[in-house]
């Protein structure tokens, strides 16, 4: 079984957690077929080539694009895909679309931390580039906790909440799903890995699709922003976060109405 939720976006970034390899292959086939139809170059990065597909993606060894036995440099990883996207455009394609089975890249704690940081950084790149990706993670091998640490940094995933980049506009990031007491530690780790650096000094988060936020997560957001010398601006249609923020006298978090 494979799981993912969330509205797809142009230049999508999808996290697929699965229990059986066949589920990843099927999802990758559909994801890459959309790219073929759209005139994009498509790459398939997985331990084995696909079977019985009606089209032929370019097969790329995982180790040819990622440090399979080491720890990824997030910025270098993004630069590599930016260069590959530019080559695809130069060759007459309309973009680059990749399906990557990334489980071998996140087996150690150091690999997991660096790759989670990379996932958010590449998500930022995708907001303004014709590049999209389906990232597959084997839940049986990695466990639910590790998968959630990666999935929550994708706009489309089965994580309990999702923190993701947005195209340039009124907000810098999006926040969706539910932030309850059980996820507040995961949220703190996601904030640290996102590492926002807004030039204005205000990190604006569109939380229109956030259904609930526990006061502990508001405290995490306030503490993180204060430590970074930022003001976090949470824009939401819900009135509860603003009331909680006022009661707790948070100094680095401002809650605004999105309505």
């Amino acid at each position: 079984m494979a799981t993912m939720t969330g509205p797809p976006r142009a230049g999508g970034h999808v996290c697929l957690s699965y229990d059986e390899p066949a589920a990843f292959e099927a999802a990758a086939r559909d994801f890459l077929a959309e790219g073929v139809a759209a005139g994009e170059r498509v790459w398939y990065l997985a331990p084995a080539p696909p079977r019985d597909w009606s089209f032929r993606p370019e097969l790329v060894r995982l180790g040819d694009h990622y440090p399979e036995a080491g720890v990824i440099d997030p910025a270098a990883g993004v630069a590599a895909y930016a260069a590959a996207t530019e080559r695809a455009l130069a060759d007459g394609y309309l973009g680059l679309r990749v399906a990557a089975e990334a489980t071998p890249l996140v087996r150690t704690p150091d690999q997991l931390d660096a790759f989670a940081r990379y996932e958010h950084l590449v998500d930022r790149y995708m907001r303004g580039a014709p590049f999209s990706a389906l990232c597959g993670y084997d839940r049986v091998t990695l466990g639910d906790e590790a998968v959630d640490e990666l999935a929550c940094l994708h706009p489309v995933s089965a994580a309990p909440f999702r923190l993701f980049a947005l195209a340039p506009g009124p907000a810098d990031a999006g926040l969706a799903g539910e932030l309850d007491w059980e996820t507040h530690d995961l949220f703190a780790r996601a904030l640290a890995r996102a590492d926002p650096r807004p030039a204005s000094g205000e990190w604006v988060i569109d939380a229109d699709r956030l259904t609930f936020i526990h006061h502990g997560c508001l405290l995490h957001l306030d503490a993180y922003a204060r430590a970074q010398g930022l003001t976090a601006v949470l824009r939401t249609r819900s009135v509860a976060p603003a009331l909680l923020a006022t009661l707790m006298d948070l100094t680095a978090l401002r809650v605004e109405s999105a309505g």
Side-chain angles (χ1 to χ4, degrees):
M1 182 181 70
T3 54
M4 53 187 172
T5 60
R9 302 175 301 172
H13 188 200
V14 180
C15 180
L16 178 79
S17 59
Y18 66 88
D19 300 315
E20 299 176 356
F24 171 74
E25 184 174 316
R29 178 195 61 217
D30 295 344
F31 183 78
L32 295 180
E34 292 176 359
V36 172
E40 299 169 337
R41 171 172 281 165
V42 297
W43 283 5
Y44 184 67
L45 288 75
R51 299 165 294 176
D52 303 323
W53 286 13
S54 61
F55 63 95
R56 290 187 178 181
E58 295 185 32
L59 303 179
V60 180
R61 288 182 61 254
L62 202 63
D64 289 342
H65 197 77
Y66 295 103
E68 196 168 358
V71 177
I72 193 171
D73 178 323
V78 175
Y81 270 130
T85 301
E86 290 300 319
R87 289 195 300 271
L89 295 174
D91 290 341
Y93 294 95
L94 298 182
L96 176 65
R97 183 176 291 233
V98 175
E101 205 302 303
T103 301
L105 307 173
V106 294
R107 294 183 183 275
T108 71
D110 286 345
Q111 285 180 318
L112 176 62
D113 181 63
F115 211 83
R117 294 173 186 274
Y118 159 75
E119 287 283 24
H120 189 74
L121 197 62
V122 78
D123 195 50
R124 292 185 202 171
Y125 169 69
M126 289 184 200
R127 298 311 95 220
F131 172 61
S132 56
L134 169 68
C135 308
Y137 296 103
D138 185 339
R139 189 166 43 236
V140 175
T141 299
L142 299 175
D144 291 342
E145 183 177 351
V147 168
D148 280 348
E149 291 193 36
L150 297 156
C152 72
L153 294 169
H154 291 71
V156 183
S157 78
F161 71 87
R162 301 179 299 283
L163 176 64
F164 49 89
L166 292 176
D172 303 299
L175 194 56
E178 185 171 295
L179 282 165
D180 57 21
W181 174 251
E182 293 183 353
T183 58
H184 77 102
D185 285 340
L186 178 62
F187 182 54
R189 292 194 292 273
L191 288 173
R193 288 160 173 168
D195 191 25
R197 303 293 176 91
S200 67
E202 288 193 346
W203 187 39
V204 181
I205 304 167
D206 180 347
D208 187 43
R209 290 187 287 115
L210 188 69
T211 58
F212 177 78
I213 184 166
H214 188 273
H215 73 272
C217 294
L218 291 175
L219 288 170
H220 280 315
L221 188 53
D222 178 70
Y224 180 79
R226 188 168 56 253
Q228 299 299 314
L230 301 173
T231 297
V233 181
L234 188 71
R235 291 181 177 161
T236 173
R237 295 183 186 276
S238 173
V239 298
L243 292 174
L244 287 171
T246 301
L247 290 172
M248 292 187 291
D249 193 27
L250 304 180
T251 60
L253 172 63
R254 186 170 76 249
V255 180
E256 296 181 349
S257 172

